[in-house]
Amino acid sequence: MQHLSAIVASRLTNPDQLKPNALAKAVVKALYEIHPHIRLDDGLELATLVETPPDTVSTRRTIEHVVDDACTHLTEWGRFETPRQKTPQTEVAAALGADITREADGESNVDS
């Protein structure tokens, strides 16, 4: 998370001058702009869901907290999962059901 927080921080203009709530929204916007797995609807949802730390927390800590909170939500939504590579065999198996997979593994679904 620290690497992502550092990238986000580098994209913000004058983050020290923003109030915590505005900073949290700017962090979510920067995350949306830099991360390929975050969709527009994710960004809009995150803007309302992320927790904003109190005013006494440093700018760096606020950025880290918001990035961590946003990543927690994105992980729960499955946005960081890598889609499985589809091969012709997996597409056929999906189309025909699991029987083709069992037969390919040497199992038979025919009663003896």
Side-chain angles (χ1 to χ4, degrees):
M1 293 305 149
Q2 287 182 338
H3 179 70
L4 191 55
S5 295
I7 293 170
V8 167
S10 70
R11 304 239 349 182
L12 300 176
T13 305
N14 301 321
D16 292 325
Q17 296 176 3
L18 296 174
K19 294 186 182 212
N21 194 35
L23 179 57
K25 291 188 182 344
V27 168
V28 169
K29 182 178 183 237
L31 276 172
Y32 166 71
E33 291 172 347
I34 63 173
H35 204 290
H37 290 121
I38 302 174
R39 303 182 311 210
L40 177 60
D41 57 328
D42 295 335
L44 295 172
E45 186 73 16
L46 287 171
T48 61
L49 289 178
V50 293
E51 295 178 12
T52 304
D55 293 344
T56 57
V57 176
S58 71
T59 300
R60 182 181 62 84
R61 288 276 193 209
T62 299
I63 293 169
E64 290 173 353
H65 177 82
V66 171
V67 168
D68 184 51
D69 192 27
C71 288
T72 298
H73 289 292
L74 292 165
T75 299
E76 289 173 2
W77 300 338
R79 298 301 185 259
F80 293 138
E81 295 175 5
T82 306
R84 286 182 53 184
Q85 183 69 25
K86 287 189 177 181
T87 64
Q89 182 181 10
T90 59
E91 289 178 9
V92 169
L96 299 175
D99 290 340
I100 192 170
T101 306
R102 280 189 248 130
E103 289 176 15
D105 291 337
E107 297 178 19
S108 175
N109 60 352
V110 179
D111 292 335
S112 305

